């Protein structure tokens, strides 16, 4: 039971770790741009790319669609 509990925490822990790390990198990048004198609107618009959208969609699909798919496969 203990091992099953730890195993159940792996996916959420990896997801949280990745989201936190990814957010810190984005914040650091935006901070450097602000320090260089960039306009905040331009920084926000340019900081969200197609790759960011793809990453967000993968995470949302994994957590929401993936769970529904797994539940229906049982």
């Amino acid at each position: 039971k203990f091992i099953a509990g730890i195993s159940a925490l792996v996916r959420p822990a990896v997801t949280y770790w990745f989201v936190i790390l990814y957010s810190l990198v984005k914040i650091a990048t935006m901070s450097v741009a602000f320090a260089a004198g960039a306009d905040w609107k331009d920084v926000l618009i340019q900081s969200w790319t197609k790759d960011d959208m793809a990453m967000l969609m993968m995470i949302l699909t994994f957590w929401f669609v993936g769970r529904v798919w797994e539940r229906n496969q049982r």
Side-chain angles (χ1 to χ4, degrees), residues 34-62:
F34 289 139
D39 183 47
W40 68 271
K41 289 181 241 172
D42 293 334
V43 171
L44 288 177
I45 290 170
Q46 291 182 12
S47 69
W48 190 256
T49 65
K50 289 181 186 179
D51 293 334
D52 297 315
M53 182 60 81
M55 192 71 67
L56 175 64
M57 290 300 111
M58 285 190 317
I59 291 170
L60 292 176
T61 300
F62 173 77

Side-chain angles (χ1 to χ4, degrees), residues 1-55:
K1 194 170 188 176
F2 176 73
I3 300 298
I6 291 175
S7 178
L9 291 175
V10 171
R11 292 194 323 181
V14 169
T15 302
Y16 289 134
W17 174 77
F18 179 78
V19 169
I20 290 168
L21 183 62
Y22 189 76
S23 298
L24 290 173
V25 168
K26 283 293 190 180
I27 290 168
T29 303
M30 291 169 58
S31 296
V32 169
F34 289 139
D39 183 47
W40 68 271
K41 289 181 241 172
D42 293 334
V43 171
L44 288 177
I45 290 170
Q46 291 182 12
S47 69
W48 190 256
T49 65
K50 289 181 186 179
D51 293 334
D52 297 315
M53 182 60 81
M55 192 71 67

